[in-house]
């Protein structure tokens, strides 16, 4: 049986995307279309993180959300998606790692990730006690997402992670956003978290903050010159 730990490997995704035309995590766009319509405007500039070969961007585009920038760290995937959707001229595709978002501050009205953070956390052995390394990795990513969001913009995170596991990662005053939760499904649930920049956390959400002790740790990010990736180093 294939190990989920391979989801963190660029080689794995490059090889997979050479053969696979399409795969949809958490169901198709119709499952969360109503949530998108309630918080995103057709004129908004949208960024997708770790877009993969999902049809989400195509379906957003055909639903009149056409100002979309798609990113993924697999050059094989990005080239394939450029060719596949070349007729959707307003949409762009960039090779970019989620750990190093090369956009200016306040660039987007909406940032969407669907399963990308889940893939980055596949090696977490105990979701009740997340490792300091993964907490630090998530803090780096979420700080960048907040930085590139415009004031009043939204970060939409679509995930299997239940609120008691995932909400504490999003609940930090430094991200400068509120948190709203939309459970999706009947017997089998996944979750849509909507973070709105410029709104304060509720008092209850603030108490959930997973990053309170990170400032005292000896963990620090180390940037690699090759591929602009980040590792975590413990002194």
């Amino acid at each position: 049986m294939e190990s989920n730990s391979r989801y963190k490997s660029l080689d794995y995704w490059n090889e997979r995307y050479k053969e696979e035309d399409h795969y949809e995590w958490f169901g198709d766009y119709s499952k969360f279309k109503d949530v998108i319509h309630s918080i995103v405007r057709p004129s908004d500039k949208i960024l997708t993180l770790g877009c993969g070969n999902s049809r989400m961007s195509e379906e957003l585009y055909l639903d009149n959300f056409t100002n979309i920038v798609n990113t993924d760290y697999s050059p094989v995937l990005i080239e394939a998606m450029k060719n596949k959707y070349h007729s959707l001229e307003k949409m762009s595709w960039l090779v970019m790692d989620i750990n190093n978002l090369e956009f200016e501050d306040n660039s987007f009205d909406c940032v969407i990730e669907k399963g990308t953070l889940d893939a980055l956390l596949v090696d977490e052995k105990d979701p009740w006690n997340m490792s300091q390394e993964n907490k630090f990795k998530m803090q780096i990513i979420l700080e960048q997402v907040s930085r590139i969001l415009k004031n009043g913009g939204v970060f939409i995170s679509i995930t299997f992670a239940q609120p008691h596991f995932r909400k504490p990662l999003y609940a930090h005053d430094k991200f400068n956003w509120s948190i709203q939760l939309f459970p999706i499904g009947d017997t089998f649930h996944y979750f849509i978290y909507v973070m709105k920049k410029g709104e304060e956390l509720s008092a209850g959400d603030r108490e959930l903050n997973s990053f309170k002790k990170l400032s005292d740790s000896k963990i620090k990010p180390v940037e690699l010159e090759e591929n602009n990736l980040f590792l975590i180093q413990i002194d």
Side-chain angles (χ1 to χ4, degrees):
M1 183 176 180
E2 183 176 75
S3 170
N4 286 348
S5 65
R6 296 194 67 197
Y7 291 167
K8 296 178 65 176
S9 166
L10 177 57
D11 289 341
Y12 166 77
W13 291 111
N14 280 335
E15 288 301 314
R16 176 168 171 169
Y17 290 139
K18 287 178 182 177
E19 305 295 333
E20 183 181 79
D21 177 69
H22 164 253
Y23 188 84
E24 208 64 63
W25 302 90
F26 316 127
D28 60 25
Y29 175 64
S30 65
K31 299 292 193 303
F32 50 91
K33 176 180 177 178
D34 289 345
V35 175
I36 296 292
H37 275 264
S38 71
I39 56 178
V40 184
R41 300 161 298 186
S43 60
D44 283 349
K45 186 176 183 181
I46 300 170
L47 172 68
T48 66
L49 298 174
C51 61
N53 54 16
S54 165
R55 291 185 178 136
M56 180 178 71
S57 293
E58 173 194 7
E59 291 169 321
L60 281 166
Y61 196 100
L62 297 177
D63 198 22
N64 205 33
F65 298 97
T66 57
N67 191 1
I68 305 173
V69 178
N70 300 283
T71 62
D72 198 283
Y73 80 153
S74 168
V76 172
L77 177 279
I78 290 297
E79 188 61 28
M81 297 298 269
K82 280 182 180 178
N83 293 331
K84 184 175 182 178
Y85 294 116
H86 65 91
S87 62
L88 306 184
E89 297 177 354
K90 295 181 182 179
M91 190 156 58
S92 61
W93 304 87
L94 299 174
V95 177
M96 191 176 296
D97 190 271
I98 193 173
N99 295 288
N100 188 20
L101 299 176
E102 300 173 6
F103 299 108
E104 295 183 359
D105 296 358
N106 310 306
S107 293
F108 294 94
D109 301 289
C110 175
V111 177
I112 302 177
E113 72 88 17
K114 185 156 80 91
T116 304
L117 298 186
D118 292 38
L120 293 174
L121 294 172
V122 292
D123 62 351
E124 194 59 57
K125 295 179 175 60
D126 181 2
W128 291 101
N129 296 286
M130 183 174 288
S131 69
Q132 292 292 81
E133 291 91 338
N134 278 336
K135 285 182 183 179
F136 204 105
K137 178 167 59 181
M138 290 298 107
Q139 179 173 315
I140 291 170
I141 292 169
L142 295 171
E143 284 178 347
Q144 291 187 80
V145 170
S146 176
R147 176 184 63 78
I148 64 177
L149 267 179
K150 297 177 183 177
N151 197 48
V154 292
F155 172 41
I156 301 172
S157 177
I158 304 171
T159 173
F160 280 130
Q162 297 176 0
H164 44 278
F165 297 135
R166 185 54 59 86
K167 231 184 177 188
L169 291 177
Y170 300 144
H172 198 313
D173 284 328
K174 71 162 56 178
F175 302 148
N176 187 28
W177 58 38
S178 60
I179 305 173
Q180 191 174 7
L181 175 63
F182 299 87
I184 302 294
D186 297 319
T187 56
F188 182 76
H189 288 86
Y190 61 95
F191 303 90
I192 302 176
Y193 298 86
V194 177
M195 280 61 70
K196 187 169 184 179
K197 187 174 177 180
E199 292 187 351
E200 292 187 359
L201 288 168
S202 68
D205 286 343
R206 187 175 292 110
E207 287 301 312
L208 297 174
N209 179 10
S210 274
F211 302 120
K212 290 177 180 177
K213 297 181 181 180
L214 278 184
S215 59
D216 298 326
S217 74
K218 296 181 180 180
I219 302 172
K220 61 183 180 181
V222 179
E223 183 174 359
L224 303 181
E225 292 184 3
E226 183 179 1
N227 297 326
N228 292 318
L229 300 181
F230 284 79
L231 292 179
I232 300 299
Q233 175 177 306
I234 304 178
D235 291 339

